[in-house]
Amino acid sequence: MKLKIAVLPGDGIGPEVTKQSVKILKAIDERFDHDFEFEEAIVGAIAIDRTGDPLPHSTLELCKESDAVLFGAIGHPKYDNDPAAKVRPEQGLLKLRKELGLYANIRPVRAYENLLEHSPLRPERIAGADMVIYRELTGGIYFGEKSTSEDGQTANDLCTYSTYEIERLAHLAFKAAQKRKKKLTLIDKANVLETSRLWRKTVTNMAKEYPDVSLDFLFIDNAAMQMVLDPKQFDVIVTENMFGDIISDEASVIGGSIGLLASASVGFENALFEPIHGSFPQATGKGIANPVASILSAALLLDHFNLNREADVIRKAVEESIKLNVCTQDLNKNNHYSTEKVGDFLEGRISESEHHHINDNNLTIGQMTII
Ligand SMILES: NC(=O)c1ccc[n+]([C@@H]2O[C@H](COP(=O)([O-])OP(=O)(O)OC[C@H]3O[C@@H](n4cnc5c(N)ncnc54)[C@H](O)[C@@H]3O)[C@@H](O)[C@H]2O)c1
Ligand SMILES: CC(C)[C@H](C(=O)O)[C@@H](O)C(=O)O
Ligand SMILES: [Mg+2]
């Protein structure tokens, strides 16, 4: 298949992990005889430094004309530590999501058999946990009107949702549940927030169209507790932008590290793939960042184009690396491997791999297969 992939490494560990996922995609390209073309562009703090704009026009245009975007991470302490900064790296990512219409952010989370002991959570609580979080990505409090009073003593962030925004995401989540364990959980704060009450009303109405899916509701505060107490209860989660951001970082503890959690952001026309973690500035240049989240995001990219067999080869290689303890230090304190070495190991496995059959256990969601 011919694919043009825009590569936006970004800041901090972004370039280090993205280098590995590009390497893996190139190995897949070679192994399966595809025709992948990669083009890099700047975004985030590095783009502010060079152009004054966290999302330069040329970067946005490249993303629009590409089949998919492979995104690293953005963010730099010089902005995190300056609340008065007029322009911020994060604005680049938020604008990109909005401009590309990426309303659904899909974050698969699961426990790995060989990492059960590694998680701070009790192994018997997390063994078998396997869920997908559908996070709304272009609305809510992130994108509402913002203001600070002239005296600087009061600030506002408006949270707005429309039925349309809720429905287009919830349809994807219901469909995902139909192909999985047929359970959908809406996470909200409907006991307090008007927007959450609209989510509950809208999703409840939609449930009639999906009679085979059982729908339940959790308030976000309780959900945050349930996520660590009994994560096996979750199948598909659907939630608004900010709750989804927070609950997915929390859920990464189940896998053993946020360095394992991949995501796909999709809209009607565009798709972007990125790890859920940030630029982990403390690790920049040290070769300690886990590249697996970025590599599994590349696997989701392949799934998006129905290259399920190829995506499966990547996931199998990752499973194997975990089994053999070929991991960065977040997963293996003793005898750990560098970012590059983990990438090299996976690349080697892919190049040597047999052509696999499509795993029938994979669950297809729209165009996408979710592990
Ligand atoms: N999508 C994004 O680009 C994105 C996401 C989250 C945060 N950020 C930005 O990143 C910067 C740092 O934010 P933060 O420290 O809150 O979050 P972060 O995700 O960068 O790091 C939080 C912690 O997670 C762990 N971690 C993250 N990535 C890892 C990896 N690949 N391997 C191993 N461990 C990893 C580290 O222990 C780290 O201290 C901020 O500027 C923030 O705005 C960007
Ligand atoms: C960097 C930030 C804007 C972003 C978000 O909150 O969406 C990040 O935390 C994420 O999860 O992708
Ligand atoms: Mg986040």
Side-chain angles (χ1 to χ4, degrees), residues 21 23-24 41-43 45 98 106 123 128 170 193 199 204 208 235 252 255 287 292 296 305 327 339 346 355 357-358:
S21 46
K23 186 157 88 186
I24 295 303
I42 51 172
V43 67
K98 193 75 168 178
I106 304 163
L193 301 176
W199 273 83
T204 303
K208 294 172 202 122
D235 178 20
S252 75
V292 168
L296 289 177
F305 295 99
C327 298
T339 310
L346 297 171
H355 274 278
H357 293 294
I358 296 175

Side-chain angles (χ1 to χ4, degrees), residues 3-143:
L3 280 182
K4 179 167 181 184
I5 302 169
V7 180
L8 274 53
D11 307 319
I13 61 164
E16 300 165 43
V17 296
T18 309
K19 187 175 164 207
Q20 303 313 312
S21 46
V22 169
K23 186 157 88 186
I24 295 303
L25 284 173
K26 286 187 174 162
I28 291 284
D29 187 10
E30 177 108 332
R31 179 78 191 75
F32 292 87
D33 210 10
H34 290 300
D35 183 7
F36 297 167
E37 181 195 331
F38 300 88
E39 193 170 333
E40 265 198 34
I42 51 172
V43 67
I46 187 179
I48 301 177
D49 291 346
R50 291 197 196 159
T51 70
D53 184 349
L55 181 65
H57 183 69
S58 54
T59 300
L60 179 59
E61 285 307 302
L62 171 70
C63 293
K64 282 185 175 165
E65 72 183 37
S66 298
D67 297 303
V69 182
L70 185 68
F71 192 95
I74 47 79
H76 192 284
K78 72 181 169 196
Y79 301 100
D80 296 340
N81 300 330
D82 177 10
K86 288 273 174 293
V87 57
R88 322 187 69 85
E90 289 76 7
Q91 290 165 346
L93 176 57
L94 296 177
K95 184 171 172 203
L96 184 60
R97 289 172 177 169
K98 193 75 168 178
E99 290 277 341
L100 298 183
L102 307 172
Y103 64 85
N105 180 226
I106 304 163
R107 298 180 163 190
V109 180
R110 54 172 284 219
Y112 288 84
E113 188 63 35
N114 291 81
L115 292 174
L116 294 178
E117 298 294 336
H118 172 81
S119 170
L121 304 177
R122 281 203 213 143
E124 67 273 17
R125 282 201 178 144
I126 55 173
D130 179 355
M131 71 189 85
V132 189
I133 300 169
Y134 277 72
R135 168 191 177 194
E136 201 291 323
L137 201 61
T138 51
I141 198 165
Y142 275 57
F143 290 93

